[in-house]
Amino acid sequence: MTVQEAIAASKIDPREARLLLAEVCGFSQASLAASPERDIPFEVENAFLELIEKRKAGIPVAYILGRKEFYGLELSVNPSVLVPRPETELLVDLALGQKPASVLDLGTGSGAIALALKSNLPGAKVVAVEADLAALLTAKRNAAKFNLDVDFRHGRWFEPVAGERFDLVVANPPYVAEGDPHLADLRYEPRGALVSGADGLDAIREIVSSVGGFLHPGGWLLLEHGLGQEGRVRALLAACGLGNVTTWPDLAGIARVTGAKLES
């Protein structure tokens, strides 16, 4: 079987098939793309087919490979953490634009946001909070891999940072509603990092209601949220007395991040 035949026979997204084939072959994706007529050894073909079956079962490619790139960092991932999404890079872009001296990342998961910020703001104090111990260990391993000094703390939302204030608070919290039909496609990812009440906004409500006590005057809160949630998130921010409420779209044009400022 050739490279081209293997990818066609996989019956999955060709880009994903090429990524999995490169993993078992030991060749780069560019090399495979440049030589579609190359024959695949029998043992490689079998290994490739095993990975394809996992993908067809719904296991994310990132979990199959054990890694996912985010903001230029190749992070280790596993089923204890969400797979970092490209749209979350918008949150990092906006946070970097604030040039904060101190940042709090709530629900850090794999550490993706906190590590991306620290790698681009080496002088900033970055604190990352995570309630799930397995996820926190994954984040710490990723930080060690890149030698990034992030202060990881175990606990729920603001509990581990009582009495502290920051220039910026960022969060990609759970925001999927109970019973959302898309959850079937996300069954291998941690439910606690996805689902947040009947309308998906329970975690955001909890964060917004408390954030004023953890921001310096003039500090910002930036929240990732789902499709169609921006109006309710904006209302929550305004109701808590935060100003300059703003929403930003991702590259697909979907309202993805909403933020607000604690007035001086």
Side-chain angles (χ1 to χ4, degrees), residues 38-226:
R38 174 184 289 174
D39 286 326
I40 300 171
F42 180 72
E43 62 273 14
V44 169
E45 182 180 332
N46 283 342
F48 174 62
L49 292 175
E50 288 180 10
L51 298 188
I52 292 301
E53 289 307 309
K54 290 181 179 180
R55 183 67 190 107
K56 286 181 176 178
I59 301 174
V61 170
Y63 289 164
I64 296 172
L65 300 179
R67 62 182 185 273
K68 177 70 174 181
E69 184 176 332
F70 180 83
Y71 222 84
L73 301 173
E74 190 173 78
L75 302 172
S76 295
V77 295
N78 55 63
S80 72
V81 299
L82 287 181
V83 176
R85 267 63 170 183
E87 54 266 30
T88 301
E89 294 190 350
L90 171 63
L91 188 63
V92 177
D93 288 337
L94 295 169
L96 291 174
Q98 296 289 327
K99 297 181 173 59
S102 58
V103 184
L104 173 62
D105 175 27
L106 296 173
T108 196
S110 65
I113 295 170
L115 296 173
L117 292 175
K118 186 64 178 180
S119 67
N120 286 277
L121 296 170
K125 172 188 176 182
V126 179
V127 177
V129 170
E130 174 57 55
D132 184 88
L133 271 175
L136 192 63
L137 290 172
T138 300
K140 287 181 176 181
R141 285 195 294 269
N142 281 322
K145 175 182 178 181
F146 298 106
N147 196 29
L148 291 171
D149 183 19
V150 171
D151 182 359
F152 290 103
R153 304 189 194 177
H154 179 231
R156 180 175 176 80
W157 305 133
F158 296 104
E159 289 174 358
V161 293
E164 299 179 55
R165 290 182 181 264
F166 300 85
D167 296 326
L168 176 66
V169 174
V170 295
N172 177 18
Y175 54 73
V176 180
E178 291 277 4
D180 189 301
H182 295 99
L183 286 171
D185 297 327
L186 302 170
R187 61 191 179 278
Y188 287 97
E189 298 191 63
R191 185 177 177 85
L194 290 166
V195 179
S196 189
D199 63 356
L201 295 176
D202 282 1
I204 288 177
R205 287 190 190 92
E206 190 172 348
I207 291 168
V208 170
S209 66
S210 300
V211 72
F214 298 90
L215 283 171
H216 290 303
W220 278 80
L221 167 66
L222 296 173
L223 293 165
E224 180 173 327
H225 53 72

